[in-house]
Amino acid sequence: MDTPDLTTQQHHDYDHAYYRKVHDRGRLSLLVALVGSFAIPFYLSVVLGHGVDVTTLTAGMIFVLGFVGIIWIVEPISYYPVLGPVGNYMSFLSGNIGNMRMPVVGGVQKALDAEPGTKRAELAAVYGLAASTITNLVILFVVIIGGTFIVQALPDSVLAAFTYAIPGIVGAMIYAFGSKLSPRNIVIVVVLGLLIVQAIRLVGQVSEGAGRLLGTGQVGIAAAVAIVVALLLARREGPAQDPEVEDPGE
Amino acid sequence: MTETLQLAHSPVVWGLALGMVGLVLVQTYMFVAMANRYVKDTGVITHAERAKAIRVGTIATIGPAIAVFTVAIVLIGLIGAPITLSRIGIIGSAAFEGLTANAGSGDTLGTAEFTPTLLATATWVMAFGGAGWLVTTILFTKPLETAQEKFEQTNPALIGLVGAMAPFMVFFVMGYEQSMGGITADEGANYGPLAAVVVGALAMWGFVRLAHLRRGLAWMGEWAIGLALVLAIIAGVLAERI
């Protein structure tokens, strides 16, 4: 969009150096996090000698594998087109991707009228994600320090109302990303989405275990299908053939 | 139980948890500094746009953060503040960590059987759960960037299409599941989630349109998510009572 002419060799080299640094630092920080996340368990089990309950540990790990094993693989791939490389490294370290990081990037792109995949969208997302991470930590600290007190001070009805925050933000995102698609592509996604959900439900009726396994990963599976369909559509139509409808009605 | 929670709040556990939060802050600082440099050298976004992105990021996080941390408070009571901090402040989400903590403790959270050994076991299971995402992100992100770069040259429209279609699918399926989950709930139909999804979408559309209508209303573009969220929550509560 408004990016300076990135086709020149100069800009290409600049980008190349930038992304090399992004991957170096991104992977290093996640590697440190990977090792660091085992520090508390190591301290409790080994340093203090509390050990582990092997049966519970095994059962717990099997639970985790069944619960998120598919999601581990599908999420970094399916969220990448929106988050971009820096966004991937930032979001998968700070967590809460579906309910916080994706809405932030969607909102930033919408507020700046930036098309996903452009440098503008990608760089703006970095600032949005940084602000989101800090805000998240500030609120978490407030909760950690005064959490019990806050909960007791708020009426139950107010706390219960917050259960609608997540469906609400999901709705807002359905518009934010749907407004970037042509009506035809919206229909394609909706039909495919419903088919996938129903297919997984059918599997669940045949085999409860398999159904539960696929059910927890269904958002990721649906996203993966959407990526494949988008690739096929773009390939068939060639470059810049999809009528991008931005803010219908304007 | 008390002994276990005392252990969970020991100074070393606090220190290790704060170290993880520190790592998130260091990474954030690092990428912002790099982005500043990139923006300065290429002018890809303006100063005003950067400020706008920061405001949108803050506003869009507040609502969901409060929602998530009502779950976090429960978790603090069960596994202590520092472990909650180290899990939710990084990598995980409150709901997932609650489930893994419970599975990792053999369903003893909040009971007298929750011994220090089971606390240690639960932290191993939680760390294992988060590790999967870290490993795949480390492995996949660079190849994805290389693929994106290739597509950018051969078919630039593709990135935009994938970038809108995949997340639209994600949120459509999430919204559908949440709406249906409420309607088909065992304890009676609840149209609250459906109303929240629909009103969230309509309100987002409305505020974005208003923001484009007049220059004086442009601020609504930034607040669109926050305002849509408030209306969605109100709609959810009202629909629940019908």
Side-chain angles (χ1 to χ4, degrees), chain A residues 140-199:
Chain A
L140 183 55
F141 268 105
V142 170
V143 168
I144 296 262
I145 293 163
T148 328
F149 175 76
I150 297 168
V151 171
Q152 278 162 358
L154 287 173
D156 283 351
S157 56
V158 173
L159 287 175
F162 271 108
T163 57
Y164 295 114
I166 303 302
I169 208 140
V170 166
M173 287 304 110
I174 288 176
Y175 168 72
F177 288 105
S179 67
K180 294 187 166 79
L181 293 169
S182 64
R184 189 199 62 171
N185 286 345
I186 289 179
V187 172
I188 292 176
V189 173
V190 168
V191 171
L192 276 176
L194 292 175
L195 282 175
I196 292 164
V197 172
Q198 295 309 326

Side-chain angles (χ1 to χ4, degrees), chain A residues 77-138:
Chain A
I77 300 171
S78 57
Y79 289 157
Y80 176 86
V82 177
L83 299 172
V86 183
N88 244 22
Y89 291 123
M90 290 179 87
S91 301
F92 283 94
L93 181 60
S94 57
N96 285 300
I97 297 167
N99 54 6
M100 273 185 223
R101 312 304 168 210
M102 290 278 284
V104 162
V105 176
V108 166
Q109 288 176 351
K110 198 79 204 143
L112 266 62
D113 284 326
E115 289 297 320
T118 59
K119 288 279 176 302
R120 244 165 71 75
E122 193 183 320
L123 266 296
V126 175
Y127 293 108
L129 289 171
S132 174
T133 302
I134 306 286
T135 307
N136 183 9
L137 284 177
V138 168

Side-chain angles (χ1 to χ4, degrees), chain A residues 4 14-15 93 120 127 164, chain B residues 36 38 41-42 49 91 136 240:
Chain A
Y14 184 89
D15 270 12
L93 181 60
R120 244 165 71 75
Y127 293 108
Y164 295 114
Chain B
N36 281 342
Y38 189 96
D41 291 347
T42 63
E49 285 175 327
I91 311 171
T136 51
E240 184 190 299

